[in-house]
């Protein structure tokens, strides 16, 4: 089959489609014919040699796919709800930039009704990331305010919609008027971090109270400022470190606010945890996807053979929503 495996770390130019053996079916696995695969920040980090795959996982890139079930492993439970021929989406450890992938059954969900199967590839990783962090780890409650950094990326565009659908007020940072317009269309109130101090603006928008939850992809440089923008008893969920891995934090201020800093990653979690997250996504998020309240925002699709161009475009930061690959 055609796939994009790891090579020498570097820029988009190191990526290429090659012929590799199809993955073997595991007893608990589901073989999927890939219809589309999402491009994620984790793929970029893996390409650069900064995010190794979990032990034993495929070195083929790709953390989420949509597609059609080709085969079920012998140990897949009869009540899994999966049958050959089903259209599905899946959360992966790796392996999505390929024509076929084998995934533990617990990480596979029926494709949401009414959603184009290509566009559906942009849902599994972002929905699992946002729901597991904002609603499971940070225990968001209806009526709270969440600050989402980077509101027009794949994570951000999904977070705005999901949080709005589940009863939260959403503030988000953006870097241009065009991205501000896109975020507002999704339901967020925007802060232009290039022109405004996001801490000051968040406090103004919340009458001095601050945000109850901050969903952060920047990391170290924003750590102290996120705390400044946080309400009493607030929670900061750090899910990426695009700006750096280290930062300073006033622990006295953290304690005075009775606040919490939560750091998570999704990829290295065991199958049981990912299964629990995907079950929660199906229960709590899929109804909003099927109603149209939460959409897969697709900026561009690229043929798998143009994977280098897809990564180059992703690296530019100009996309709004997801970038997808189509084998």
């Amino acid at each position: 089959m055609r796939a994009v495996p790891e090579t020498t770390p570097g820029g988009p130019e190191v990526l290429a489609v090659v012929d590799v053996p199809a993955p073997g079916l595991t007893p608990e696995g589901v073989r999927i014919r890939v219809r589309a695969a999402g491009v994620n920040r984790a793929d970029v980090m893996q390409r650069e040699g900064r995010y190794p795959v979990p032990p034993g996982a495929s070195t083929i890139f790709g953390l989420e796919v949509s597609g059609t079930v080709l085969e079920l492993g012998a140990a897949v439970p009869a009540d899994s709800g999966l049958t050959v021929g089903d259209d599905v989406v899946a959360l992966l450890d790796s392996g999505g930039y390929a024509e076929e992938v084998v995934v533990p059954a617990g990480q596979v969900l029926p494709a949401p009704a009414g959603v184009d199967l290509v566009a559906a590839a942009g849902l599994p990783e972002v929905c699992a990331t946002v729901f597991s962090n904002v609603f499971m780890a940070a225990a968001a409650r209806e009526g709270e305010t969440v600050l989402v950094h980077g509101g027009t990326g794949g994570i951000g565009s999904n977070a705005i919609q999901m949080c709005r659908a589940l009863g939260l007020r959403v503030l988000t940072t953006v870097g241009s008027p065009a991205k501000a317009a896109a975020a507002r269309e999704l339901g967020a109130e925007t802060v232009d971090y290039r022109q405004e101090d996001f801490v000051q603006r968040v406090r103004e928008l919340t009458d001095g109270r601050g945000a109850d939850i901050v969903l952060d992809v920047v990391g170290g440089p924003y750590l102290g400022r996120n705390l400044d923008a946080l309400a009493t008893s607030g929670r900061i969920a750090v899910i990426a470190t695009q700006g750096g891995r280290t930062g300073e934090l006033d622990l006295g201020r953290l304690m005075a606010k009775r606040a919490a800093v939560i750091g998570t990653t999704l990829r290295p979690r065991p199958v049981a945890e990912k299964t629990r997250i995907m079950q929660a996504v199906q229960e709590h998020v899929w109804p909003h996807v099927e109603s149209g309240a939460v959409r897969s925002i697709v900026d561009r699709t690229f043929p798998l053979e143009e994977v280098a161009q897809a990564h180059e475009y992703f690296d530019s930061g100009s996309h709004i929503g997801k970038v997808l690959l189509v084998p």
Side-chain angles (χ1 to χ4, degrees):
M1 69 173 187
R2 297 176 303 144
V4 183
E6 284 184 353
T7 56
T8 304
E13 71 280 355
V14 304
L15 301 174
V17 177
V18 299
D19 289 323
V20 300
L25 184 65
T26 60
E28 301 82 11
V30 178
R31 185 185 301 279
I32 297 169
R33 173 68 169 88
V34 175
R35 180 68 182 92
V39 176
N40 290 284
R41 180 66 56 185
D43 302 332
V44 173
M45 294 174 63
Q46 181 181 341
R47 185 198 77 209
E48 295 171 342
R50 298 187 293 123
Y51 196 20
V53 300
S58 168
T59 61
I60 294 170
F61 291 88
L63 301 182
E64 59 182 345
V65 298
S66 63
T68 303
V69 176
L70 294 178
E71 191 177 8
L72 300 175
V76 173
D79 62 356
S80 68
L82 299 171
T83 58
V84 172
D86 285 349
D87 288 338
V88 295
V89 300
L91 177 70
L92 317 176
D93 297 339
S94 60
Y97 291 15
E99 293 180 308
E100 292 183 10
V101 67
V102 172
V103 193
Q107 295 170 211
V108 181
L109 294 183
V115 178
D116 175 78
L117 193 57
V118 171
L123 291 169
E125 197 271 344
V126 293
C127 287
T129 296
V130 174
F131 193 84
S132 64
N133 281 280
V134 176
F135 295 93
M136 297 173 77
R141 297 180 292 273
E142 187 174 354
E144 290 191 314
T145 297
V146 59
L147 170 63
V148 176
H149 285 302
T152 56
I155 293 289
S157 60
N158 180 268
I160 292 170
Q161 297 178 85
M162 187 188 300
C163 291
R164 290 279 293 165
L166 293 171
L168 302 185
R169 179 188 182 190
V170 184
L171 314 178
T172 190
T173 55
V174 293
S176 71
K179 291 193 173 185
R184 285 194 296 268
E185 185 178 348
L186 295 175
E189 300 164 67
T190 61
V191 180
D192 187 335
Y193 67 86
R194 299 184 191 276
Q195 304 294 330
E196 302 173 286
D197 182 321
F198 79 78
V199 175
Q200 178 181 344
R201 187 62 180 140
V202 165
R203 300 199 72 83
E204 289 173 355
L205 290 169
T206 58
D207 297 324
R209 184 175 179 276
D212 299 290
I213 298 168
V214 177
L215 184 65
D216 180 45
V217 296
V218 178
Y222 272 16
L223 186 57
R225 298 177 69 198
N226 283 337
L227 181 59
D228 290 340
L230 200 66
T232 299
S233 299
R235 293 84 76 198
I236 301 170
V238 182
I239 61 171
T241 55
Q242 294 176 22
R245 296 172 54 136
T246 60
E248 291 190 2
L249 185 66
D250 183 336
L251 294 178
R253 187 159 174 74
L254 181 75
M255 293 186 290
K257 284 197 171 186
R258 302 187 299 280
V261 179
I262 304 161
T264 73
T265 56
L266 184 60
R267 184 186 207 173
R269 297 192 191 203
V271 171
E273 286 190 29
K274 290 181 179 178
T275 297
R276 183 168 61 91
I277 291 168
M278 293 300 276
Q279 289 172 342
V281 166
Q282 184 174 17
E283 178 181 356
H284 298 287
V285 181
W286 250 218
H288 297 290
V289 174
E290 293 179 341
S291 75
V294 176
R295 296 178 290 123
S296 177
I297 308 297
V298 179
D299 185 290
R300 285 185 65 179
T301 61
F302 290 81
L304 187 63
E305 285 77 11
E306 295 181 10
V307 61
Q309 293 93 317
H311 269 239
E312 183 177 2
Y313 180 63
F314 187 94
D315 287 356
S316 75
S318 59
H319 58 287
I320 295 175
K322 297 290 294 191
V323 176
L324 304 179
L325 293 168
V326 179

